[in-house]
Amino acid sequence: MDLYEYQGKELFRRAGIPVSDGKLAVTAAEARAAAEELGGPVVVKAQVLTGGRGKAGGIKLAADPDEAEARAEEILGLDIRGHVVRKLWIEKASDIAKEYYLSVTFDRGAKQPLLMFTTQGGVDIEEVAASSPEALVRLHVDPFEGFQPWHARALVYRGGVEDANEQKQIAAIAERLYAAFVDFDAMLCEINPLIVTPAGEVKALDSKFTVDDNALFRHADIAEMRDPEAYPPEERAAREKDVTYVKLDGQVGILANGAGLGMSTLDVVALAGGAAANFCDLGGGGDAQTVVDALDIITGDPQVRAILFNIFGGITRCDEVARGILQALDQMTIDLPIVVRLDGTNAPEARELLEQAAPPNLHVETTMLSAARRAVELAG
Ligand code: GDP
Ligand code: MN
């Protein structure tokens, strides 16, 4: 689960990482009131679950409450790469002398958390990694040993931070960021930029914080930070109905049982020259209600031109799924072509059931590849 900047900063604050004071605003009037309360110049920051807001016009300085209101007016409703701005974080403006970068993430290859630090912050870290890889310090932490003082020293020395006062502050922040990463079950904690003010104070000016969904049961307060409105309506509906759904941008709606089979189906649809409109996992179920729920969500996406069921009957028997599909189609009218491929336990019975009772827009195929080809053709 990705957190908004202001939520990530709240966790930073709890972890003892310095951040500026700020207030949330959802209207321009609230932005003005927040600026009045904070006093002095502020920065008006779009809260969206995507980066690069500055470049997209979602971060603006304001000298006084009047300006804060005007900037808020401009930023609210802005579309930043498909994310519409509905919330603003009004923060006391900082003077910036230097912009650094600090993060903790997982290096899956090394099976260890990875600290990254560079004094070339503020910009896209991918750019730094590509253009001057020597400037980016990468340091693994052995999870059993945990963060040690030498990690902090290695980061600042290798990063080329010469000022002793800065070194001390960055070392403390790195230790706390690592602690936050572990304590909040994060998958990414990123500060870009980590600034040094002209007075020599180091603080987090931005936050990118991703918490492991599977650990949210341990963090009721973080789980509550989820903003249902940040997700497309179909994804929200799917979450409510407990259907795994991922929106993609092709034309073939995909229903498979099991994530592995679903992923292979995406590949086979691509091999057949098409693209998936989404990915829907029926999981272990194939009863009528599960199929109705999944079809409801899939057909809610206007991009879908054909639907492809790819079912492997293991414990769930194919004939059960076939009955589920037929019952679902009794309960709802679907005009789109539907291609069904079933294999595994009781597949012949299932195909017979479908061939006898299915409506004309339902096509039964025996292999994954022929089913994908048919679906792509029908979607075209
Ligand atoms: P991002 O573009 O989504 O990464 O948003 P950031 O929060 O990182 O802000 C982008 C840039 O805006 C920063 O790198 C700063 O240069 C600038 N910025 C943000 N907050 C302030 C501030 O308080 N004062 C000043 N002077 N610049 C700021
Ligand atoms: Mn940033």
Side-chain angles (χ1 to χ4, degrees), residues 210-234:
T210 307
V211 179
D212 185 349
D213 279 322
N214 296 307
L216 284 176
F217 74 96
R218 284 205 282 248
H219 307 283
D221 51 335
I222 300 176
E224 263 178 30
M225 291 179 175
R226 195 190 291 279
D227 175 8
E229 286 183 50
Y231 302 89
E234 320 92 74

PDB file of all heavy atoms in Angstrom, residues 210-234:
ATOM      1  N   THR A 210       5.963   2.926   1.089  1.00  0.00           N
ATOM      2  CA  THR A 210       5.109   1.802   0.696  1.00  0.00           C
ATOM      3  C   THR A 210       5.151   0.765   1.806  1.00  0.00           C
ATOM      4  O   THR A 210       6.228   0.330   2.207  1.00  0.00           O
ATOM      5  CB  THR A 210       5.602   1.174  -0.618  1.00  0.00           C
ATOM      6  OG1 THR A 210       5.729   2.202  -1.593  1.00  0.00           O
ATOM      7  CG2 THR A 210       4.629   0.124  -1.136  1.00  0.00           C
ATOM      8  N   VAL A 211       3.971   0.394   2.296  1.00  0.00           N
ATOM      9  CA  VAL A 211       3.882  -0.590   3.372  1.00  0.00           C
ATOM     10  C   VAL A 211       3.410  -1.918   2.776  1.00  0.00           C
ATOM     11  O   VAL A 211       2.557  -1.949   1.897  1.00  0.00           O
ATOM     12  CB  VAL A 211       2.895  -0.105   4.464  1.00  0.00           C
ATOM     13  CG1 VAL A 211       2.777  -1.124   5.589  1.00  0.00           C
ATOM     14  CG2 VAL A 211       3.359   1.235   5.027  1.00  0.00           C
ATOM     15  N   ASP A 212       3.996  -2.995   3.246  1.00  0.00           N
ATOM     16  CA  ASP A 212       3.625  -4.332   2.790  1.00  0.00           C
ATOM     17  C   ASP A 212       2.163  -4.620   3.150  1.00  0.00           C
ATOM     18  O   ASP A 212       1.804  -4.634   4.330  1.00  0.00           O
ATOM     19  CB  ASP A 212       4.556  -5.344   3.485  1.00  0.00           C
ATOM     20  CG  ASP A 212       4.339  -6.769   2.997  1.00  0.00           C
ATOM     21  OD1 ASP A 212       3.339  -7.008   2.294  1.00  0.00           O
ATOM     22  OD2 ASP A 212       5.180  -7.615   3.327  1.00  0.00           O
ATOM     23  N   ASP A 213       1.320  -4.845   2.134  1.00  0.00           N
ATOM     24  CA  ASP A 213      -0.100  -5.145   2.365  1.00  0.00           C
ATOM     25  C   ASP A 213      -0.283  -6.303   3.338  1.00  0.00           C
ATOM     26  O   ASP A 213      -1.199  -6.308   4.143  1.00  0.00           O
ATOM     27  CB  ASP A 213      -0.764  -5.566   1.044  1.00  0.00           C
ATOM     28  CG  ASP A 213      -1.136  -4.379   0.194  1.00  0.00           C
ATOM     29  OD1 ASP A 213      -1.566  -3.367   0.762  1.00  0.00           O
ATOM     30  OD2 ASP A 213      -0.995  -4.471  -1.046  1.00  0.00           O
ATOM     31  N   ASN A 214       0.603  -7.286   3.226  1.00  0.00           N
ATOM     32  CA  ASN A 214       0.449  -8.491   4.041  1.00  0.00           C
ATOM     33  C   ASN A 214       0.753  -8.252   5.516  1.00  0.00           C
ATOM     34  O   ASN A 214       0.517  -9.127   6.338  1.00  0.00           O
ATOM     35  CB  ASN A 214       1.369  -9.600   3.517  1.00  0.00           C
ATOM     36  CG  ASN A 214       0.970 -10.003   2.115  1.00  0.00           C
ATOM     37  OD1 ASN A 214      -0.194 -10.318   1.868  1.00  0.00           O
ATOM     38  ND2 ASN A 214       1.900  -9.960   1.190  1.00  0.00           N
ATOM     39  N   ALA A 215       1.311  -7.083   5.834  1.00  0.00           N
ATOM     40  CA  ALA A 215       1.648  -6.789   7.231  1.00  0.00           C
ATOM     41  C   ALA A 215       0.667  -5.791   7.833  1.00  0.00           C
ATOM     42  O   ALA A 215       0.800  -5.416   8.994  1.00  0.00           O
ATOM     43  CB  ALA A 215       3.070  -6.248   7.323  1.00  0.00           C
ATOM     44  N   LEU A 216      -0.335  -5.367   7.040  1.00  0.00           N
ATOM     45  CA  LEU A 216      -1.224  -4.317   7.534  1.00  0.00           C
ATOM     46  C   LEU A 216      -2.020  -4.756   8.760  1.00  0.00           C
ATOM     47  O   LEU A 216      -2.438  -3.938   9.564  1.00  0.00           O
ATOM     48  CB  LEU A 216      -2.163  -3.837   6.420  1.00  0.00           C
ATOM     49  CG  LEU A 216      -1.500  -2.922   5.381  1.00  0.00           C
ATOM     50  CD1 LEU A 216      -2.475  -2.592   4.269  1.00  0.00           C
ATOM     51  CD2 LEU A 216      -0.982  -1.638   6.026  1.00  0.00           C
ATOM     52  N   PHE A 217      -2.215  -6.068   8.904  1.00  0.00           N
ATOM     53  CA  PHE A 217      -2.959  -6.553  10.081  1.00  0.00           C
ATOM     54  C   PHE A 217      -2.222  -6.194  11.380  1.00  0.00           C
ATOM     55  O   PHE A 217      -2.825  -6.143  12.443  1.00  0.00           O
ATOM     56  CB  PHE A 217      -3.205  -8.064   9.979  1.00  0.00           C
ATOM     57  CG  PHE A 217      -1.967  -8.893  10.235  1.00  0.00           C
ATOM     58  CD1 PHE A 217      -1.724  -9.431  11.505  1.00  0.00           C
ATOM     59  CD2 PHE A 217      -1.043  -9.132   9.216  1.00  0.00           C
ATOM     60  CE1 PHE A 217      -0.595 -10.196  11.743  1.00  0.00           C
ATOM     61  CE2 PHE A 217       0.093  -9.886   9.446  1.00  0.00           C
ATOM     62  CZ  PHE A 217       0.319 -10.409  10.722  1.00  0.00           C
ATOM     63  N   ARG A 218      -0.942  -5.937  11.260  1.00  0.00           N
ATOM     64  CA  ARG A 218      -0.156  -5.562  12.444  1.00  0.00           C
ATOM     65  C   ARG A 218      -0.191  -4.055  12.686  1.00  0.00           C
ATOM     66  O   ARG A 218       0.328  -3.589  13.692  1.00  0.00           O
ATOM     67  CB  ARG A 218       1.321  -5.954  12.244  1.00  0.00           C
ATOM     68  CG  ARG A 218       1.598  -7.417  12.402  1.00  0.00           C
ATOM     69  CD  ARG A 218       3.039  -7.626  12.789  1.00  0.00           C
ATOM     70  NE  ARG A 218       3.932  -7.499  11.645  1.00  0.00           N
ATOM     71  CZ  ARG A 218       4.611  -8.524  11.136  1.00  0.00           C
ATOM     72  NH1 ARG A 218       4.475  -9.727  11.655  1.00  0.00           N
ATOM     73  NH2 ARG A 218       5.412  -8.354  10.112  1.00  0.00           N
ATOM     74  N   HIS A 219      -0.737  -3.306  11.727  1.00  0.00           N
ATOM     75  CA  HIS A 219      -0.692  -1.835  11.815  1.00  0.00           C
ATOM     76  C   HIS A 219      -2.066  -1.259  11.479  1.00  0.00           C
ATOM     77  O   HIS A 219      -2.261  -0.695  10.405  1.00  0.00           O
ATOM     78  CB  HIS A 219       0.343  -1.266  10.836  1.00  0.00           C
ATOM     79  CG  HIS A 219       1.701  -1.882  10.973  1.00  0.00           C
ATOM     80  ND1 HIS A 219       2.563  -1.545  11.988  1.00  0.00           N
ATOM     81  CD2 HIS A 219       2.329  -2.840  10.250  1.00  0.00           C
ATOM     82  CE1 HIS A 219       3.678  -2.261  11.867  1.00  0.00           C
ATOM     83  NE2 HIS A 219       3.553  -3.047  10.830  1.00  0.00           N
ATOM     84  N   ALA A 220      -2.996  -1.424  12.421  1.00  0.00           N
ATOM     85  CA  ALA A 220      -4.370  -0.966  12.178  1.00  0.00           C
ATOM     86  C   ALA A 220      -4.391   0.515  11.810  1.00  0.00           C
ATOM     87  O   ALA A 220      -5.169   0.931  10.946  1.00  0.00           O
ATOM     88  CB  ALA A 220      -5.222  -1.225  13.408  1.00  0.00           C
ATOM     89  N   ASP A 221      -3.522   1.302  12.447  1.00  0.00           N
ATOM     90  CA  ASP A 221      -3.532   2.747  12.185  1.00  0.00           C
ATOM     91  C   ASP A 221      -3.087   3.065  10.762  1.00  0.00           C
ATOM     92  O   ASP A 221      -3.621   3.962  10.113  1.00  0.00           O
ATOM     93  CB  ASP A 221      -2.637   3.477  13.202  1.00  0.00           C
ATOM     94  CG  ASP A 221      -1.243   2.872  13.294  1.00  0.00           C
ATOM     95  OD1 ASP A 221      -1.082   1.675  12.971  1.00  0.00           O
ATOM     96  OD2 ASP A 221      -0.302   3.595  13.670  1.00  0.00           O
ATOM     97  N   ILE A 222      -2.130   2.297  10.238  1.00  0.00           N
ATOM     98  CA  ILE A 222      -1.689   2.533   8.859  1.00  0.00           C
ATOM     99  C   ILE A 222      -2.740   2.002   7.881  1.00  0.00           C
ATOM    100  O   ILE A 222      -3.042   2.650   6.878  1.00  0.00           O
ATOM    101  CB  ILE A 222      -0.315   1.881   8.586  1.00  0.00           C
ATOM    102  CG1 ILE A 222       0.740   2.457   9.542  1.00  0.00           C
ATOM    103  CG2 ILE A 222       0.122   2.099   7.131  1.00  0.00           C
ATOM    104  CD1 ILE A 222       2.113   1.818   9.415  1.00  0.00           C
ATOM    105  N   ALA A 223      -3.321   0.843   8.198  1.00  0.00           N
ATOM    106  CA  ALA A 223      -4.358   0.275   7.310  1.00  0.00           C
ATOM    107  C   ALA A 223      -5.477   1.297   7.103  1.00  0.00           C
ATOM    108  O   ALA A 223      -6.044   1.408   6.015  1.00  0.00           O
ATOM    109  CB  ALA A 223      -4.906  -1.023   7.898  1.00  0.00           C
ATOM    110  N   GLU A 224      -5.777   2.069   8.155  1.00  0.00           N
ATOM    111  CA  GLU A 224      -6.849   3.071   8.062  1.00  0.00           C
ATOM    112  C   GLU A 224      -6.489   4.240   7.157  1.00  0.00           C
ATOM    113  O   GLU A 224      -7.352   5.023   6.777  1.00  0.00           O
ATOM    114  CB  GLU A 224      -7.149   3.614   9.456  1.00  0.00           C
ATOM    115  CG  GLU A 224      -8.327   2.919  10.087  1.00  0.00           C
ATOM    116  CD  GLU A 224      -8.601   3.435  11.490  1.00  0.00           C
ATOM    117  OE1 GLU A 224      -8.310   4.618  11.766  1.00  0.00           O
ATOM    118  OE2 GLU A 224      -9.092   2.635  12.291  1.00  0.00           O
ATOM    119  N   MET A 225      -5.199   4.357   6.837  1.00  0.00           N
ATOM    120  CA  MET A 225      -4.780   5.470   5.975  1.00  0.00           C
ATOM    121  C   MET A 225      -5.175   5.239   4.525  1.00  0.00           C
ATOM    122  O   MET A 225      -5.081   6.142   3.705  1.00  0.00           O
ATOM    123  CB  MET A 225      -3.256   5.655   6.045  1.00  0.00           C
ATOM    124  CG  MET A 225      -2.761   6.161   7.382  1.00  0.00           C
ATOM    125  SD  MET A 225      -0.949   6.295   7.330  1.00  0.00           S
ATOM    126  CE  MET A 225      -0.628   7.031   8.939  1.00  0.00           C
ATOM    127  N   ARG A 226      -5.600   4.029   4.184  1.00  0.00           N
ATOM    128  CA  ARG A 226      -5.954   3.747   2.793  1.00  0.00           C
ATOM    129  C   ARG A 226      -7.095   4.652   2.356  1.00  0.00           C
ATOM    130  O   ARG A 226      -8.083   4.797   3.052  1.00  0.00           O
ATOM    131  CB  ARG A 226      -6.361   2.282   2.623  1.00  0.00           C
ATOM    132  CG  ARG A 226      -6.385   1.882   1.155  1.00  0.00           C
ATOM    133  CD  ARG A 226      -6.999   0.530   0.925  1.00  0.00           C
ATOM    134  NE  ARG A 226      -6.227  -0.590   1.423  1.00  0.00           N
ATOM    135  CZ  ARG A 226      -5.196  -1.149   0.793  1.00  0.00           C
ATOM    136  NH1 ARG A 226      -4.805  -0.667  -0.354  1.00  0.00           N
ATOM    137  NH2 ARG A 226      -4.583  -2.174   1.317  1.00  0.00           N
ATOM    138  N   ASP A 227      -6.933   5.253   1.183  1.00  0.00           N
ATOM    139  CA  ASP A 227      -7.929   6.174   0.658  1.00  0.00           C
ATOM    140  C   ASP A 227      -8.645   5.478  -0.489  1.00  0.00           C
ATOM    141  O   ASP A 227      -8.110   5.372  -1.590  1.00  0.00           O
ATOM    142  CB  ASP A 227      -7.209   7.438   0.167  1.00  0.00           C
ATOM    143  CG  ASP A 227      -8.152   8.407  -0.509  1.00  0.00           C
ATOM    144  OD1 ASP A 227      -9.378   8.177  -0.463  1.00  0.00           O
ATOM    145  OD2 ASP A 227      -7.662   9.398  -1.079  1.00  0.00           O
ATOM    146  N   PRO A 228      -9.883   5.001  -0.247  1.00  0.00           N
ATOM    147  CA  PRO A 228     -10.567   4.237  -1.294  1.00  0.00           C
ATOM    148  C   PRO A 228     -10.729   5.028  -2.585  1.00  0.00           C
ATOM    149  O   PRO A 228     -10.764   4.463  -3.674  1.00  0.00           O
ATOM    150  CB  PRO A 228     -11.932   3.887  -0.691  1.00  0.00           C
ATOM    151  CG  PRO A 228     -11.987   4.512   0.652  1.00  0.00           C
ATOM    152  CD  PRO A 228     -10.690   5.165   0.960  1.00  0.00           C
ATOM    153  N   GLU A 229     -10.826   6.350  -2.460  1.00  0.00           N
ATOM    154  CA  GLU A 229     -11.050   7.172  -3.661  1.00  0.00           C
ATOM    155  C   GLU A 229      -9.819   7.269  -4.554  1.00  0.00           C
ATOM    156  O   GLU A 229      -9.898   7.777  -5.663  1.00  0.00           O
ATOM    157  CB  GLU A 229     -11.492   8.576  -3.259  1.00  0.00           C
ATOM    158  CG  GLU A 229     -12.918   8.604  -2.759  1.00  0.00           C
ATOM    159  CD  GLU A 229     -13.353  10.014  -2.436  1.00  0.00           C
ATOM    160  OE1 GLU A 229     -13.170  10.897  -3.289  1.00  0.00           O
ATOM    161  OE2 GLU A 229     -13.857  10.234  -1.321  1.00  0.00           O
ATOM    162  N   ALA A 230      -8.671   6.792  -4.051  1.00  0.00           N
ATOM    163  CA  ALA A 230      -7.448   6.870  -4.865  1.00  0.00           C
ATOM    164  C   ALA A 230      -7.413   5.768  -5.909  1.00  0.00           C
ATOM    165  O   ALA A 230      -6.562   5.771  -6.780  1.00  0.00           O
ATOM    166  CB  ALA A 230      -6.223   6.783  -3.966  1.00  0.00           C
ATOM    167  N   TYR A 231      -8.353   4.810  -5.833  1.00  0.00           N
ATOM    168  CA  TYR A 231      -8.330   3.683  -6.769  1.00  0.00           C
ATOM    169  C   TYR A 231      -9.462   3.806  -7.764  1.00  0.00           C
ATOM    170  O   TYR A 231     -10.519   4.339  -7.443  1.00  0.00           O
ATOM    171  CB  TYR A 231      -8.443   2.371  -5.984  1.00  0.00           C
ATOM    172  CG  TYR A 231      -7.332   2.211  -4.975  1.00  0.00           C
ATOM    173  CD1 TYR A 231      -7.465   2.708  -3.682  1.00  0.00           C
ATOM    174  CD2 TYR A 231      -6.132   1.613  -5.330  1.00  0.00           C
ATOM    175  CE1 TYR A 231      -6.429   2.607  -2.758  1.00  0.00           C
ATOM    176  CE2 TYR A 231      -5.099   1.504  -4.427  1.00  0.00           C
ATOM    177  CZ  TYR A 231      -5.247   2.001  -3.135  1.00  0.00           C
ATOM    178  OH  TYR A 231      -4.222   1.903  -2.236  1.00  0.00           O
ATOM    179  N   PRO A 232      -9.292   3.284  -8.994  1.00  0.00           N
ATOM    180  CA  PRO A 232     -10.376   3.335  -9.969  1.00  0.00           C
ATOM    181  C   PRO A 232     -11.597   2.584  -9.433  1.00  0.00           C
ATOM    182  O   PRO A 232     -11.433   1.647  -8.647  1.00  0.00           O
ATOM    183  CB  PRO A 232      -9.803   2.622 -11.199  1.00  0.00           C
ATOM    184  CG  PRO A 232      -8.359   2.404 -10.942  1.00  0.00           C
ATOM    185  CD  PRO A 232      -8.086   2.634  -9.500  1.00  0.00           C
ATOM    186  N   PRO A 233     -12.813   3.009  -9.861  1.00  0.00           N
ATOM    187  CA  PRO A 233     -14.043   2.418  -9.298  1.00  0.00           C
ATOM    188  C   PRO A 233     -14.089   0.889  -9.395  1.00  0.00           C
ATOM    189  O   PRO A 233     -14.538   0.236  -8.464  1.00  0.00           O
ATOM    190  CB  PRO A 233     -15.172   3.065 -10.097  1.00  0.00           C
ATOM    191  CG  PRO A 233     -14.524   3.940 -11.119  1.00  0.00           C
ATOM    192  CD  PRO A 233     -13.094   4.090 -10.804  1.00  0.00           C
ATOM    193  N   GLU A 234     -13.568   0.308 -10.514  1.00  0.00           N
ATOM    194  CA  GLU A 234     -13.633  -1.159 -10.632  1.00  0.00           C
ATOM    195  C   GLU A 234     -12.736  -1.817  -9.590  1.00  0.00           C
ATOM    196  O   GLU A 234     -13.069  -2.854  -9.034  1.00  0.00           O
ATOM    197  CB  GLU A 234     -13.184  -1.681 -11.998  1.00  0.00           C
ATOM    198  CG  GLU A 234     -13.609  -0.903 -13.209  1.00  0.00           C
ATOM    199  CD  GLU A 234     -12.568   0.124 -13.596  1.00  0.00           C
ATOM    200  OE1 GLU A 234     -11.515  -0.232 -14.144  1.00  0.00           O
ATOM    201  OE2 GLU A 234     -12.828   1.301 -13.323  1.00  0.00           O
TER     202      GLU A 234
END
